[in-house]
Amino acid sequence: MTASRRHVLHALGLLPVAALLVGCGFQLRQAGDYAFKTLYGNFSATSPLGVELRRNLLGTGRIDLWTDAKQMLKADAILDILGEDRQQVIVGMNASGQIREMQLRLRVRFRLRTPQGVELIESVELYQQRDLSFSETAALSKEIEMGMMYRDMQTDIVQQIMRRLSAVKARPVPAPKS
């Protein structure tokens, strides 16, 4: 069998696989559709979480992110980061009292509201944790690994926040009571 004939038969063999993928409804995840066009970000733009959140919000191309407090009342929605807590908890020690295992924890609390005070997402706490084995002889590399784990947890939490923001549906603004 010649090489060109083998390539043709191989291509014909892959044709049903391609047809199966097209027919099954497979589709890559799209950027979320948001119920608001302008968002006031009430979070620190210098914290690692704030930087990543800002990058993700601006990366959608569908949201104008405002950080100037004067624009807060003009925004369609306000994202408040109520708290960010990073913890290192010792969970294992050897007989001589040296740390052998740690648990890294990241908690983020946030809410989404309108400038009128209507809560679109009530206060939510997102929590991530990772286990880290520790060795005194490799302390520098474990410090680097710890930083990578915190970044990984932070990315997971930012993605969860983005999914929750895209799940918000537009609500009619109630008329003020007289």
Side-chain angles (χ1 to χ4, degrees):
M1 189 181 291
T2 65
S4 62
R5 186 177 220 183
R6 205 171 325 137
H7 290 301
V8 170
L9 289 175
H10 184 66
L12 287 175
L14 290 178
L15 193 59
V17 174
L20 182 65
L21 281 177
V22 170
C24 76
F26 175 78
Q27 184 177 3
L28 292 174
R29 185 179 294 174
Q30 302 291 318
D33 207 13
Y34 299 93
F36 43 85
K37 300 295 179 212
T38 58
L39 178 70
Y40 174 76
N42 194 10
F43 52 84
S44 172
T46 58
S47 75
L49 180 79
V51 169
E52 186 164 353
L53 192 54
R54 178 183 175 86
R55 185 176 59 239
N56 276 271
L57 288 167
L58 292 174
T60 65
R62 300 178 183 202
I63 298 174
D64 288 332
L65 180 64
W66 296 345
T67 55
D68 185 14
K70 296 175 186 172
Q71 296 175 314
M72 181 169 61
L73 296 177
K74 297 177 191 172
D76 295 334
I78 300 170
L79 176 63
D80 295 316
I81 300 296
L82 304 172
E84 176 185 357
D85 186 29
R86 294 173 186 246
Q87 295 177 332
Q88 299 173 10
V89 179
I90 299 169
V91 293
M93 299 177 92
N94 65 11
S96 61
Q98 293 178 328
I99 300 170
R100 285 292 163 224
E101 192 167 344
M102 296 174 62
Q103 195 173 67
L104 307 178
R105 299 175 183 171
L106 178 60
R107 292 178 196 270
V108 175
R109 285 186 36 243
F110 77 98
R111 72 176 175 186
L112 183 71
R113 61 186 171 96
T114 64
Q116 295 79 24
V118 177
E119 288 198 348
L120 301 173
I121 299 176
E122 294 180 8
S123 179
V124 175
E125 181 175 278
L126 301 176
Y127 176 78
Q128 289 277 319
Q129 74 180 28
R130 301 284 191 276
D131 293 328
L132 174 70
S133 62
F134 192 79
S135 171
E136 293 292 328
T137 59
L140 184 58
S141 63
K142 288 299 177 179
E143 189 74 28
I144 293 169
E145 185 179 358
M146 189 182 310
M148 290 171 51
M149 286 181 154
Y150 272 126
R151 275 193 302 279
D152 181 46
M153 290 188 288
Q154 173 182 293
T155 299
D156 285 350
I157 286 179
V158 167
Q159 291 304 314
Q160 288 182 44
I161 291 172
M162 295 298 291
R163 283 193 295 275
R164 288 174 190 232
L165 292 178
S166 69
V168 171
K169 301 297 178 209
R171 294 184 184 176
V173 178
K177 297 178 183 178
S178 359

